[in-house]
Amino acid sequence: MKEATGELNMTVVTVVAIAAVAAFFYAFIWPSIKTNILNSTKCANVTNCDCSKGNTCTCQYLNEKGVSEKVTCPNNNNK
């Protein structure tokens, strides 16, 4: 019976540890990954860019609702 209790305790510890890592990822790491993906998508579909500021460009992005947004993208032509 002692071995079964020990196995159950280790299972509970493992499940709690996995849940803690998943919660940390979802709360702190995933938002920045999601933001970077969205910004990369926007920068790939921009028009009318002003790249006079050096390493960044201010561009117009037409979102899915048809509304124009200003986005700041890296200047890939400035190498």
Side-chain angles (χ1 to χ4, degrees):
M1 194 68 177
K2 284 184 180 181
E3 288 181 27
T5 304
E7 291 290 325
L8 179 63
N9 287 341
M10 285 307 296
T11 302
V12 170
V13 168
T14 303
V15 168
V16 169
I18 291 171
V21 170
F24 177 79
F25 176 80
Y26 186 73
F28 295 105
I29 298 172
W30 177 246
S32 64
I33 292 173
K34 183 178 176 182
T35 301
N36 287 337
I37 291 171
L38 290 174
N39 286 341
S40 295
T41 302
K42 286 180 181 180
C43 288
N45 298 312
V46 294
T47 57
N48 193 18
C49 292
D50 175 22
C51 298
S52 61
K53 295 180 183 175
N55 292 334
T56 60
C57 299
T58 303
C59 305
Q60 297 292 322
Y61 169 74
L62 191 63
N63 66 15
E64 59 275 351
K65 295 179 182 177
V67 179
S68 181
E69 300 176 16
K70 282 189 178 181
V71 255
T72 302
C73 298
N75 186 357
N76 294 329
N77 296 327
N78 190 14
K79 294 182 179 179

